Coordinates of all heavy atoms in Angstrom, one line a residue:
V45 N 123.0 86.8 213.9 CA 123.5 85.7 213.0 C 124.5 86.2 212.0 O 125.5 85.5 211.8 CB 122.3 85.0 212.3 CG1 121.5 86.0 211.5 CG2 122.8 83.8 211.5
E46 N 124.3 87.3 211.4 CA 125.2 87.7 210.3 C 126.6 88.0 210.9 O 127.6 87.6 210.3 CB 124.7 89.0 209.6 CG 125.5 89.3 208.4 CD 124.8 90.4 207.5 OE1 123.7 90.9 207.9 OE2 125.3 90.7 206.4
Q47 N 126.7 88.6 212.0 CA 128.0 88.8 212.7 C 128.7 87.5 213.0 O 129.9 87.3 212.8 CB 127.9 89.7 213.9 CG 129.2 90.0 214.6 CD 128.9 90.8 215.9 OE1 127.9 91.4 216.0 NE2 129.9 90.9 216.7
N48 N 127.9 86.5 213.5 CA 128.5 85.2 213.8 C 129.0 84.5 212.6 O 130.1 83.9 212.6 CB 127.4 84.4 214.5 CG 127.0 84.9 215.9 OD1 127.7 85.7 216.5 ND2 125.8 84.5 216.3
V49 N 128.2 84.5 211.5 CA 128.6 83.9 210.3 C 129.9 84.5 209.7 O 130.8 83.8 209.3 CB 127.5 83.9 209.3 CG1 127.9 83.5 207.9 CG2 126.3 83.0 209.7
R50 N 129.9 85.8 209.7 CA 131.1 86.5 209.2 C 132.3 86.2 210.0 O 133.4 85.9 209.4 CB 130.8 88.1 209.2 CG 132.0 88.9 208.6 CD 131.5 90.3 208.3 NE 130.6 90.3 207.2 CZ 130.9 90.4 205.9 NH1 132.2 90.4 205.6 NH2 130.0 90.5 205.0
A51 N 132.2 86.2 211.3 CA 133.3 85.8 212.2 C 133.8 84.4 211.9 O 135.0 84.2 211.8 CB 132.9 85.9 213.6
A52 N 132.9 83.5 211.7 CA 133.3 82.1 211.3 C 134.0 82.0 210.0 O 135.0 81.4 209.9 CB 132.1 81.2 211.4
L53 N 133.4 82.6 209.0 CA 134.0 82.6 207.6 C 135.4 83.2 207.6 O 136.3 82.7 207.0 CB 133.1 83.2 206.6 CG 131.7 82.6 206.4 CD1 130.8 83.4 205.5 CD2 131.9 81.2 205.8
E54 N 135.5 84.3 208.3 CA 136.8 85.0 208.4 C 137.8 84.2 209.1 O 139.0 84.3 208.9 CB 136.7 86.4 209.0 CG 135.9 87.4 208.1 CD 135.7 88.7 208.7 OE1 135.9 88.8 209.9 OE2 135.3 89.6 208.0
A55 N 137.4 83.2 210.0 CA 138.3 82.3 210.7 C 138.5 81.0 209.9 O 139.2 80.1 210.4 CB 137.7 82.0 212.1
G56 N 137.9 81.0 208.7 CA 138.1 79.8 207.9 C 137.2 78.6 208.3 O 137.5 77.5 208.0
V57 N 136.0 78.9 208.9 CA 135.2 77.8 209.4 C 133.9 77.8 208.6 O 133.1 78.8 208.5 CB 134.8 78.0 210.9 CG1 133.9 77.0 211.4 CG2 136.1 78.1 211.7
P58 N 133.5 76.7 208.0 CA 132.2 76.6 207.3 C 131.1 76.6 208.2 O 131.2 76.2 209.4 CB 132.3 75.2 206.5 CG 133.3 74.4 207.3 CD 134.3 75.4 207.9
C59 N 129.9 76.9 207.7 CA 128.7 77.2 208.6 C 127.5 76.5 208.3 O 127.2 76.3 207.1 CB 128.4 78.7 208.6 SG 129.8 79.8 209.0
V60 N 126.7 76.1 209.3 CA 125.4 75.6 209.2 C 124.5 76.5 210.0 O 124.7 76.7 211.2 CB 125.2 74.2 209.7 CG1 123.8 73.7 209.8 CG2 126.1 73.2 208.9
V61 N 123.5 77.1 209.3 CA 122.7 78.2 210.0 C 121.2 77.8 209.9 O 120.6 77.6 208.9 CB 122.9 79.6 209.3 CG1 122.1 80.6 210.0 CG2 124.4 79.9 209.4
G62 N 120.5 77.9 211.1 CA 119.1 77.6 211.2 C 118.3 78.9 211.6 O 117.1 78.8 211.8
T63 N 119.0 80.0 211.7 CA 118.4 81.3 212.1 C 117.7 81.9 210.9 O 118.4 82.0 209.8 CB 119.4 82.3 212.7 OG1 120.1 81.6 213.8 CG2 118.7 83.5 213.2
S64 N 116.5 82.3 211.0 CA 115.8 83.0 209.8 C 115.7 84.5 210.1 O 116.1 85.0 211.2 CB 114.4 82.3 209.6 OG 113.6 82.4 210.8
G65 N 115.1 85.2 209.1 CA 114.9 86.6 209.3 C 116.1 87.5 208.9 O 116.2 88.6 209.4
W66 N 117.0 86.9 208.1 CA 118.2 87.7 207.7 C 118.5 87.4 206.2 O 118.0 86.4 205.7 CB 119.4 87.4 208.5 CG 120.0 86.0 208.4 CD1 119.3 84.9 208.8 CD2 121.2 85.7 207.9 NE1 120.1 83.8 208.5 CE2 121.3 84.2 207.9 CE3 122.3 86.4 207.4 CZ2 122.4 83.5 207.5 CZ3 123.4 85.7 207.0 CH2 123.5 84.3 207.0
D67 N 119.3 88.2 205.6 CA 119.6 87.9 204.2 C 121.0 87.3 204.1 O 122.0 87.9 204.4 CB 119.7 89.3 203.4 CG 120.0 89.1 201.9 OD1 120.1 87.9 201.5 OD2 120.3 90.1 201.3
P68 N 121.1 86.0 203.7 CA 122.3 85.3 203.7 C 123.2 85.5 202.5 O 124.3 85.0 202.4 CB 121.9 83.8 203.8 CG 120.6 83.8 203.1 CD 119.9 85.1 203.4
M69 N 122.6 86.2 201.5 CA 123.4 86.4 200.2 C 124.7 87.0 200.4 O 125.7 86.5 199.8 CB 122.5 87.2 199.2 CG 121.2 86.4 198.8 SD 121.5 84.8 198.1 CE 122.3 85.3 196.6
P70 N 124.9 88.2 201.1 CA 126.2 88.8 201.2 C 127.2 87.8 201.9 O 128.4 87.7 201.5 CB 126.0 90.0 202.1 CG 124.5 90.4 201.8 CD 123.8 89.0 201.7
S71 N 126.7 87.1 202.9 CA 127.6 86.1 203.6 C 128.0 85.0 202.6 O 129.0 84.4 202.7 CB 127.0 85.6 204.8 OG 126.8 86.6 205.8
G72 N 127.0 84.6 201.7 CA 127.3 83.6 200.7 C 128.4 84.0 199.8 O 129.2 83.2 199.4
E73 N 128.4 85.3 199.4 CA 129.5 85.8 198.6 C 130.8 85.7 199.3 O 131.8 85.4 198.7 CB 129.2 87.2 198.2 CG 128.0 87.4 197.3 CD 127.6 88.8 197.0 OE1 128.3 89.7 197.5 OE2 126.5 89.0 196.4
L74 N 130.8 86.1 200.6 CA 132.1 86.0 201.4 C 132.5 84.5 201.5 O 133.7 84.2 201.3 CB 131.9 86.6 202.8 CG 133.0 86.5 203.7 CD1 134.3 87.2 203.2 CD2 132.7 87.0 205.1
A75 N 131.6 83.6 201.7 CA 131.9 82.2 201.8 C 132.5 81.7 200.5 O 133.5 81.0 200.5 CB 130.7 81.4 202.1
A76 N 132.0 82.1 199.3 CA 132.5 81.7 198.0 C 133.9 82.3 197.9 O 134.8 81.6 197.4 CB 131.6 82.2 196.9
E77 N 134.2 83.5 198.3 CA 135.5 84.1 198.2 C 136.5 83.3 199.0 O 137.7 83.2 198.6 CB 135.5 85.6 198.7 CG 134.7 86.5 197.7 CD 134.5 87.9 198.4 OE1 135.1 88.1 199.5 OE2 133.8 88.7 197.8
R78 N 136.1 82.8 200.2 CA 137.0 82.1 201.1 C 137.0 80.6 200.8 O 137.8 79.9 201.4 CB 136.5 82.3 202.5 CG 136.5 83.8 203.0 CD 137.9 84.3 203.0 NE 138.0 85.7 203.4 CZ 138.3 86.2 204.6 NH1 138.5 85.3 205.6 NH2 138.3 87.5 204.8
G79 N 136.3 80.2 199.8 CA 136.3 78.8 199.5 C 135.6 77.9 200.5 O 136.0 76.7 200.7
L80 N 134.6 78.5 201.2 CA 133.9 77.8 202.3 C 132.5 77.6 202.0 O 131.9 78.3 201.3 CB 134.1 78.6 203.6 CG 135.5 78.8 204.1 CD1 135.5 79.8 205.2 CD2 136.1 77.5 204.6
A81 N 131.9 76.5 202.6 CA 130.5 76.3 202.5 C 129.7 77.0 203.6 O 130.1 77.1 204.7 CB 130.2 74.8 202.6
L82 N 128.6 77.7 203.1 CA 127.6 78.3 204.0 C 126.3 77.6 203.7 O 125.7 77.8 202.7 CB 127.5 79.8 203.8 CG 126.4 80.5 204.5 CD1 126.4 80.3 206.0 CD2 126.4 82.0 204.1
F83 N 125.8 76.8 204.7 CA 124.5 76.1 204.5 C 123.4 76.8 205.4 O 123.6 76.9 206.6 CB 124.6 74.6 204.8 CG 123.3 73.9 204.7 CD1 122.8 73.5 203.5 CD2 122.5 73.7 205.8 CE1 121.6 72.9 203.3 CE2 121.3 73.0 205.7 CZ 120.8 72.6 204.4
V84 N 122.3 77.2 204.8 CA 121.3 77.9 205.5 C 119.9 77.2 205.2 O 119.6 77.0 204.0 CB 121.2 79.4 205.1 CG1 120.0 80.1 205.8 CG2 122.5 80.1 205.4
A85 N 119.2 76.9 206.2 CA 117.9 76.3 206.0 C 116.8 77.0 206.9 O 117.1 77.2 208.1 CB 117.9 74.8 206.3
P86 N 115.7 77.3 206.3 CA 114.6 77.9 207.2 C 114.0 76.9 208.1 O 113.4 77.3 209.1 CB 113.6 78.3 206.1 CG 113.8 77.5 204.9 CD 115.3 77.2 204.9
N87 N 114.2 75.6 207.9 CA 113.6 74.6 208.7 C 114.4 73.3 208.6 O 114.7 72.8 207.5 CB 112.1 74.3 208.3 CG 111.4 73.6 209.4 OD1 111.9 72.6 210.0 ND2 110.2 74.1 209.7
F88 N 114.8 72.7 209.7 CA 115.7 71.5 209.7 C 114.9 70.3 210.0 O 115.4 69.2 210.1 CB 116.8 71.7 210.8 CG 118.0 72.4 210.2 CD1 118.0 73.8 210.3 CD2 119.0 71.8 209.6 CE1 119.1 74.5 209.8 CE2 120.1 72.5 209.1 CZ 120.1 73.9 209.2
A89 N 113.6 70.4 210.1 CA 112.7 69.2 210.3 C 112.5 68.5 209.0 O 112.1 69.1 208.0 CB 111.4 69.6 210.9
I90 N 112.8 67.2 208.9 CA 112.7 66.5 207.6 C 111.2 66.5 207.2 O 111.0 66.6 206.0 CB 113.1 65.0 207.8 CG1 114.6 64.9 208.3 CG2 113.0 64.2 206.5 CD1 115.6 65.4 207.4
G91 N 110.3 66.4 208.1 CA 108.9 66.4 207.7 C 108.5 67.7 207.1 O 107.6 67.7 206.2
A92 N 109.1 68.8 207.5 CA 108.8 70.1 206.9 C 109.3 70.2 205.5 O 108.6 70.8 204.6 CB 109.4 71.2 207.8
V93 N 110.4 69.6 205.2 CA 111.0 69.6 203.8 C 110.0 68.8 202.9 O 109.7 69.2 201.8 CB 112.4 69.0 203.8 CG1 112.9 68.9 202.4 CG2 113.3 69.9 204.6
L94 N 109.5 67.7 203.4 CA 108.6 66.9 202.7 C 107.3 67.6 202.4 O 106.7 67.5 201.4 CB 108.3 65.5 203.4 CG 109.5 64.6 203.6 CD1 109.2 63.4 204.4 CD2 110.1 64.2 202.2
M95 N 106.9 68.4 203.4 CA 105.7 69.3 203.2 C 105.8 70.2 202.1 O 104.9 70.4 201.2 CB 105.4 70.1 204.5 CG 104.3 71.1 204.4 SD 104.1 72.1 205.8 CE 105.7 72.9 205.8
L96 N 107.0 70.8 201.9 CA 107.3 71.7 200.8 C 107.3 71.0 199.5 O 106.7 71.5 198.5 CB 108.7 72.4 201.0 CG 108.6 73.8 201.7 CD1 108.3 73.6 203.2 CD2 110.0 74.4 201.6
R97 N 107.8 69.8 199.5 CA 107.8 69.0 198.2 C 106.4 68.7 197.8 O 106.0 68.8 196.6 CB 108.6 67.7 198.4 CG 110.1 67.9 198.4 CD 110.8 66.5 198.4 NE 112.3 66.6 198.3 CZ 113.1 65.6 198.2 NH1 112.6 64.4 198.2 NH2 114.4 65.8 198.2
L98 N 105.6 68.2 198.8 CA 104.2 67.9 198.5 C 103.4 69.1 198.1 O 102.5 69.0 197.2 CB 103.6 67.2 199.7 CG 104.2 65.8 200.1 CD1 103.6 65.4 201.5 CD2 103.9 64.8 199.1
A99 N 103.7 70.2 198.7 CA 102.9 71.4 198.3 C 103.3 71.8 196.9 O 102.4 72.3 196.1 CB 103.3 72.6 199.3
A100 N 104.5 71.7 196.5 CA 104.9 72.1 195.1 C 104.2 71.2 194.1 O 103.8 71.6 193.0 CB 106.4 72.0 195.0
E101 N 104.1 69.9 194.5 CA 103.4 68.9 193.6 C 101.9 69.2 193.5 O 101.3 69.2 192.4 CB 103.7 67.5 194.1 CG 103.0 66.4 193.3 CD 103.5 66.3 191.9 OE1 104.6 66.8 191.6 OE2 102.9 65.6 191.1
A102 N 101.3 69.5 194.6 CA 99.9 69.8 194.7 C 99.5 71.1 193.8 O 98.5 71.2 193.2 CB 99.4 70.0 196.1
A103 N 100.5 72.1 193.9 CA 100.2 73.3 193.1 C 100.1 73.1 191.6 O 99.6 74.0 190.9 CB 101.3 74.3 193.5
R104 N 100.6 72.0 191.1 CA 100.5 71.7 189.7 C 99.0 71.5 189.3 O 98.6 71.6 188.1 CB 101.3 70.5 189.3 CG 102.8 70.7 189.5 CD 103.6 69.4 189.3 NE 103.3 68.9 187.9 CZ 103.5 67.6 187.6 NH1 103.9 66.7 188.5 NH2 103.1 67.2 186.4
Y105 N 98.2 71.1 190.3 CA 96.8 70.7 190.0 C 95.8 71.6 190.7 O 94.7 71.7 190.2 CB 96.6 69.2 190.4 CG 97.6 68.3 189.8 CD1 98.8 67.9 190.5 CD2 97.5 67.8 188.5 CE1 99.7 67.0 189.9 CE2 98.4 67.0 187.9 CZ 99.5 66.6 188.6 OH 100.4 65.8 188.1
L106 N 96.2 72.2 191.8 CA 95.2 73.1 192.5 C 96.0 74.4 192.7 O 96.9 74.5 193.5 CB 94.9 72.5 193.9 CG 94.1 71.2 193.8 CD1 94.0 70.6 195.2 CD2 92.7 71.4 193.3
A107 N 95.6 75.4 191.9 CA 96.3 76.6 191.8 C 96.1 77.6 193.0 O 97.0 78.4 193.3 CB 96.0 77.3 190.5
R108 N 95.0 77.5 193.6 CA 94.6 78.5 194.7 C 95.1 77.9 196.0 O 94.7 76.8 196.4 CB 93.1 78.8 194.7 CG 92.6 79.6 193.6 CD 93.1 81.0 193.6 NE 92.6 81.7 194.8 CZ 91.4 82.2 195.0 NH1 90.5 82.1 194.1 NH2 91.1 82.7 196.2
A109 N 95.9 78.7 196.8 CA 96.4 78.2 198.0 C 96.6 79.4 199.0 O 96.8 80.5 198.7 CB 97.8 77.5 197.8
D110 N 96.5 79.0 200.3 CA 96.8 79.9 201.4 C 97.7 79.1 202.4 O 97.7 77.9 202.4 CB 95.6 80.3 202.2 CG 94.9 81.6 201.6 OD1 94.9 81.7 200.4 OD2 94.4 82.4 202.4
I111 N 98.6 79.9 203.0 CA 99.5 79.2 204.0 C 99.2 79.8 205.4 O 99.0 81.0 205.6 CB 101.0 79.6 203.7 CG1 101.4 79.0 202.3 CG2 101.9 79.0 204.7 CD1 102.7 79.5 201.8
V112 N 99.1 78.9 206.4 CA 98.9 79.3 207.8 C 100.1 78.8 208.5 O 100.3 77.6 208.6 CB 97.6 78.8 208.4 CG1 97.4 79.2 209.8 CG2 96.4 79.2 207.5
E113 N 100.9 79.7 209.2 CA 102.0 79.2 210.0 C 101.7 79.6 211.4 O 101.3 80.7 211.7 CB 103.3 79.7 209.4 CG 103.5 81.2 209.3 CD 104.1 81.9 210.5 OE1 104.4 81.2 211.5 OE2 104.4 83.1 210.5
L114 N 102.0 78.7 212.4 CA 101.7 78.9 213.8 C 103.0 78.7 214.6 O 103.6 77.6 214.5 CB 100.6 78.0 214.2 CG 99.3 78.0 213.4 CD1 99.3 76.9 212.4 CD2 98.1 77.8 214.3
H115 N 103.3 79.6 215.5 CA 104.5 79.5 216.3 C 104.2 80.0 217.7 O 103.2 80.7 217.9 CB 105.7 80.2 215.7 CG 106.3 79.5 214.6 ND1 105.8 79.7 213.3 CD2 107.4 78.7 214.5 CE1 106.6 78.9 212.5 NE2 107.5 78.4 213.1
G116 N 105.1 79.7 218.6 CA 104.9 80.2 220.0 C 105.2 81.7 220.0 O 105.7 82.3 219.0
V117 N 104.8 82.4 221.1 CA 104.9 83.8 221.2 C 106.3 84.4 221.1 O 106.6 85.5 220.8 CB 104.2 84.4 222.4 CG1 102.7 84.1 222.4 CG2 104.8 83.7 223.7
A118 N 107.3 83.5 221.4 CA 108.7 84.0 221.4 C 109.3 84.0 220.0 O 110.4 84.5 219.8 CB 109.5 83.1 222.3
K119 N 108.6 83.4 219.0 CA 109.1 83.4 217.7 C 109.3 84.8 217.2 O 108.4 85.6 217.2 CB 108.1 82.7 216.8 CG 108.4 82.7 215.3 CD 109.6 82.0 214.9 CE 109.8 81.9 213.4 NZ 111.1 81.3 213.0
K120 N 110.5 85.1 216.7 CA 110.8 86.5 216.2 C 110.6 86.5 214.7 O 111.1 85.7 214.0 CB 112.2 86.9 216.5 CG 112.5 87.0 218.0 CD 113.9 87.4 218.3 CE 114.1 87.5 219.8 NZ 115.5 87.9 220.2
G121 N 109.8 87.5 214.3 CA 109.6 87.7 212.9 C 108.4 86.9 212.4 O 108.1 85.8 212.8
A122 N 107.7 87.5 211.5 CA 106.5 86.9 210.8 C 106.4 87.5 209.4 O 106.6 88.7 209.2 CB 105.2 87.2 211.6
P123 N 106.1 86.7 208.4 CA 105.9 85.2 208.5 C 107.3 84.5 208.7 O 108.3 85.1 208.6 CB 105.4 84.9 207.1 CG 105.9 85.9 206.2 CD 106.0 87.2 207.0
S124 N 107.1 83.2 209.0 CA 108.3 82.4 209.3 C 109.1 82.2 208.0 O 108.5 82.3 206.9 CB 107.9 81.0 209.9 OG 107.2 80.3 208.9
G125 N 110.3 81.8 208.1 CA 111.2 81.5 207.0 C 110.6 80.3 206.2 O 110.7 80.3 204.9
T126 N 110.0 79.3 206.9 CA 109.5 78.2 206.2 C 108.3 78.6 205.4 O 108.1 78.1 204.2 CB 109.0 77.1 207.2 OG1 110.2 76.7 208.0 CG2 108.5 75.9 206.6
A127 N 107.4 79.4 205.9 CA 106.2 79.9 205.2 C 106.7 80.7 203.9 O 106.1 80.5 202.8 CB 105.4 80.8 206.0
E128 N 107.7 81.5 204.0 CA 108.2 82.3 202.9 C 108.8 81.3 201.8 O 108.5 81.5 200.6 CB 109.2 83.3 203.3 CG 108.6 84.4 204.1 CD 109.7 85.4 204.6 OE1 110.8 85.0 204.9 OE2 109.4 86.6 204.7
A129 N 109.5 80.3 202.3 CA 110.1 79.3 201.3 C 109.0 78.6 200.6 O 109.1 78.3 199.4 CB 111.0 78.4 202.1
T130 N 107.9 78.3 201.4 CA 106.8 77.5 200.7 C 106.1 78.4 199.7 O 105.8 78.0 198.6 CB 105.7 77.1 201.8 OG1 106.4 76.4 202.8 CG2 104.7 76.3 201.2
A131 N 105.9 79.7 200.0 CA 105.2 80.6 199.1 C 106.0 80.8 197.8 O 105.4 80.9 196.7 CB 105.0 81.9 199.8
E132 N 107.3 80.7 197.9 CA 108.2 80.9 196.7 C 108.0 79.7 195.8 O 108.3 79.8 194.6 CB 109.6 81.0 197.1 CG 109.9 82.4 197.8 CD 111.4 82.5 198.3 OE1 112.1 81.5 198.1 OE2 111.7 83.5 199.0

Side-chain angles (χ1 to χ4, degrees):
V45 58
E46 190 166 2
Q47 180 179 346
N48 294 340
V49 169
R50 182 166 293 273
L53 294 174
E54 290 176 349
V57 179
C59 305
V60 171
V61 180
T63 305
S64 58
W66 67 297
D67 179 9
M69 294 303 292
S71 295
E73 293 172 4
L74 176 60
E77 291 171 9
R78 298 298 176 97
L80 298 167
L82 169 59
F83 179 79
V84 178
N87 198 315
F88 278 86
I90 303 295
V93 176
L94 297 176
M95 173 187 61
L96 268 68
R97 285 188 177 184
L98 293 170
E101 178 67 14
R104 296 174 55 200
Y105 305 97
L106 296 168
R108 291 288 303 277
D110 272 35
I111 298 169
V112 182
E113 58 95 354
L114 309 94
H115 286 81
V117 292
K119 171 72 174 175
K120 295 182 180 178
S124 69
T126 302
E128 291 178 327
T130 307
E132 289 174 6

